[in-house]
Amino acid sequence: MMNIMMDMVIRHDGKNWVVENDKLTLSAPTIDGIDEKVRTFMRQNELVKKGDKSKVRMLFDNSTIPQWIRQYGQHYFNRVIEVEG
């Protein structure tokens, strides 16, 4: 069974990848690390139940890249991961 999708904003702070929404902020030095932190958070907080699946959409914060390049990369680093319970 697929649960509702969670939306987050993703950016890089110069050292770590950061994902956040109005309820949480997670960071890790690698994309794989941030994916694992999101999955762990969702499982530990029972946002995805055992046997279910949920999707997390990460929309890149374009304000973190120079203005002149934004027109060329409107979807610079948007991603969706699936989390299984």
Side-chain angles (χ1 to χ4, degrees):
M1 175 187 238
M2 183 68 71
N3 291 330
I4 59 173
M5 181 180 288
M6 178 188 288
D7 287 329
M8 303 187 84
V9 174
I10 187 169
R11 62 184 169 81
H12 197 274
D13 68 5
K15 183 177 178 183
N16 291 303
W17 288 100
V18 179
V19 293
E20 55 195 347
N21 62 20
D22 59 339
K23 297 180 182 179
L24 79 138
T25 300
L26 301 170
S27 64
T30 65
I31 290 294
D32 288 340
I34 204 70
D35 289 352
E36 189 54 39
K37 283 193 173 192
V38 168
R39 287 184 175 103
T40 299
F41 176 85
M42 291 189 70
R43 290 177 186 132
Q44 287 178 345
N45 291 279
E46 298 182 356
L47 298 173
V48 60
K49 307 257 188 250
K50 187 157 182 81
D52 287 349
K53 294 179 183 177
S54 187
K55 290 187 179 181
V56 177
R57 182 171 50 190
M58 301 176 198
L59 305 173
F60 190 76
D61 180 0
N62 286 327
S63 70
T64 64
I65 58 175
Q67 178 70 33
W68 64 269
I69 201 168
R70 291 183 202 166
Q71 65 183 328
Y72 303 109
Q74 294 179 9
H75 56 277
Y76 173 69
F77 197 76
N78 296 337
R79 3 184 11 248
V80 176
I81 64 169
E82 192 171 277
V83 180
E84 295 182 21

